[in-house]
């Protein structure tokens, strides 16, 4: 499905319009009630086909062939969305990843494109009643959606940083959030209130409900809970993760562990994933993670299916900001795809209850699943 310049131009216009919307944070329900065009918050993406979202900052180039030295035929910027026709093996000298994505206009290096779909949902009218009040865990099922802020950004938050840089505040495909309120505007469009940090956040967001699908309690139920001898082996050399029940490997996936170089290309050890024997100590259905320093800092909400195994926050968790599995590039964590992170989360101990959203072995007295990080 070719994407014409007209469509790209319209998307750029919507993006610019979103910049203005993202600035509103006084009496948000008045703004929501005034909205007449949902497209201002969710662009008109192609439905039912695989898409790719540019998930890196700055510009990515489109090549005539899947080769870094091929002719450049175009460029895209962060959050541009294009049809994903197929993935092929190409050429990018000095890089581990040699995969490229074919689009109607040429080839884009695969690590720069998050695989996404546009799958809008029928809004629900009532949230579940839980021990902590009404609410549900939900997953984003559109490439991205712009949000409306309920309140001024808190200090030193990802929301404040986005606004200071003049960037739109958005939620992205396969992020996971807790939704605690539902409202309908005068045009009949339903909005969910999203808490980006269920465990103490203050930056509340309103997002069109069609951007989310509810996560049901059965999706969090443990996998093979009767098995006692479970262990995980992460190999930082092969960039792989294997789950074992006894001596039988029951799950395997590619990962991205700690980066070998900083953002300037200098070799570093500070981001290495710690070698040795560990255990899962804490788990979160969704977590806001932050850290780093100027030039290499990060503050990311809605990270789903997080399993922490080293003090300081080193974890196995889902990733929506790159598609470069098999290449070391994290700040020490084990990056995996959202689908793989969810399976690992459900398979490992401790078990997480839906309404609580987290588990901590120091409080429950359980023993977490063993994790060994090796380099062989």
């Amino acid at each position: 499905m070719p994407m014409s310049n007209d469509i790209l131009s319209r998307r750029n216009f919507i993006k610019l319009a979103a910049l203005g919307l993202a600035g509103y944070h006084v009496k948000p329900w008045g703004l929501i009630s005034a909205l007449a065009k949902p497209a201002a918050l969710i662009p008109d993406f192609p439905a039912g086909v695989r898409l790719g979202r540019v998930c890196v900052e700055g510009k990515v180039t489109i090549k005539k062939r899947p080769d870094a030295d091929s002719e450049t035929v175009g460029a895209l910027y962060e959050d541009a969305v294009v049809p994903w026709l197929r993935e092929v093996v190409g050429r990018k000298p000095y890089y581990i990843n040699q995969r490229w994505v074919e689009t109607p206009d040429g080839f884009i290096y695969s690590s720069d494109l998050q695989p996404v779909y546009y799958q809008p949902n029928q809004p629900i009218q009532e949230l579940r009643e839980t021990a902590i009040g009404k609410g549900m865990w939900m997953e984003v099922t559109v490439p991205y959606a712009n949000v409306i802020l309920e309140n001024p950004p808190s200090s030193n938050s990802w929301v404040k940083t986005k606004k200071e840089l003049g960037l739109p505040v958005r939620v992205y495909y396969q992020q996971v959030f807790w939704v605690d309120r539902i409202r309908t505007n005068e045009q009949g469009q339903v909005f969910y209130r999203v808490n980006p940090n269920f465990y103490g956040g203050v930056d509340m967001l309103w997002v069109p409900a069609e951007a989310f699908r509810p996560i049901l309690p059965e999706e969090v139920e443990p996998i093979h809970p009767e098995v006692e001898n479970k262990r995980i082996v992460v190999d930082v050399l092969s960039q792989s993760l294997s789950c074992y029940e006894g001596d039988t490997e029951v799950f395997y996936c590619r990962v991205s562990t700690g980066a070998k170089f900083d953002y300037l290309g200098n070799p570093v050890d500070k981001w290495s994933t710690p070698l040795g024997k560990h255990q899962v100590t804490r788990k979160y259905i969704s977590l806001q993670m932050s850290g780093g320093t100027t030039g290499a800092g990060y503050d990311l909400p809605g990270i789903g299916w997080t399993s922490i195994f080293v003090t300081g926050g080193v974890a196995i968790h889902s990733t929506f900001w790159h598609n470069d599995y098999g290449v070391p590039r994290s700040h020490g964590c084990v990056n995996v795809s959202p689908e793989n992170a969810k399976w690992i989360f459900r398979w490992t101990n401790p078990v997480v209850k839906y309404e609580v959203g987290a588990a901590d072995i120091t409080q429950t007295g359980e023993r977490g699943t063993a994790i060994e990080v090796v380099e062989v």
Side-chain angles (χ1 to χ4, degrees), residues 233-251:
V233 176
V234 176
D235 189 337
V236 299
L237 188 61
S238 64
Q239 291 293 288
S240 65
L241 179 151
S242 295
C243 297
Y244 291 90
E245 295 179 358
D247 295 327
T248 302
E249 184 182 52
V250 297
F251 188 84

Side-chain angles (χ1 to χ4, degrees), residues 89-254:
V89 175
R91 175 178 175 274
K92 192 172 177 70
Y94 312 112
Y95 282 72
I96 297 172
N97 178 12
Q98 297 294 311
R99 300 185 302 274
W100 294 74
V101 174
E102 183 178 6
T103 75
D105 297 317
F107 293 86
I108 299 174
Y109 188 52
S110 68
S111 69
D112 300 334
L113 283 183
Q114 178 198 14
V116 300
Y117 287 89
Y118 174 55
Q119 298 173 322
N121 302 274
Q122 184 68 32
I124 62 173
Q125 301 301 315
E126 190 72 24
L127 294 168
R128 296 174 63 92
E129 191 68 55
T130 75
I132 58 174
K134 287 188 176 182
M136 292 186 72
W137 293 104
M138 297 200 185
E139 179 184 51
V140 181
T141 61
V142 300
Y144 67 79
N146 296 297
V147 313
I148 297 170
L149 306 183
E150 181 175 86
N151 49 276
S154 59
S155 61
N156 300 320
S157 74
W158 66 281
V159 176
K160 185 172 185 289
T161 299
K162 289 275 190 180
K163 286 179 60 61
E164 288 177 345
L165 293 175
L167 298 174
V169 180
R170 290 172 170 162
V171 295
Y172 293 100
Y173 187 74
Q174 291 187 311
Q175 281 185 291
V176 175
F177 297 102
W178 180 257
V179 169
D180 63 4
R181 291 187 189 176
I182 302 176
R183 283 184 174 171
T184 304
N185 70 6
E186 295 172 356
Q187 291 76 37
Q189 186 184 17
V190 181
F191 287 79
Y192 294 152
R193 193 178 81 159
V194 169
N195 183 350
N197 187 353
F198 177 68
Y199 311 98
V202 294
D203 294 310
M204 299 298 184
L205 318 174
W206 287 95
V207 188
E210 57 263 37
F212 290 93
R213 75 164 188 89
I215 297 172
L216 301 178
E218 50 264 36
E219 294 183 57
V220 184
E221 291 179 356
I223 296 174
H224 304 167
E226 73 285 356
V227 177
E228 295 183 358
N229 189 14
K230 294 180 177 180
R231 62 188 175 93
I232 292 175
V233 176
V234 176
D235 189 337
V236 299
L237 188 61
S238 64
Q239 291 293 288
S240 65
L241 179 151
S242 295
C243 297
Y244 291 90
E245 295 179 358
D247 295 327
T248 302
E249 184 182 52
V250 297
F251 188 84
Y252 171 91
C253 66
R254 301 286 277 171

Side-chain angles (χ1 to χ4, degrees), residues 3-5 8-9 11-12 15 54 56 58-64 71-82 103 105-109 112-113:
M3 183 163 288
S4 69
N5 289 332
L8 287 175
S9 296
R11 176 162 292 124
N12 287 338
K15 186 172 181 179
V54 176
V56 295
K59 180 175 70 173
V60 300
T61 56
I62 306 173
K63 295 292 185 176
K64 187 174 184 179
E71 177 187 352
T72 297
V73 295
L76 295 172
Y77 294 86
E78 185 177 3
D79 287 353
V81 176
V82 295
T103 75
D105 297 317
F107 293 86
I108 299 174
Y109 188 52
D112 300 334
L113 283 183

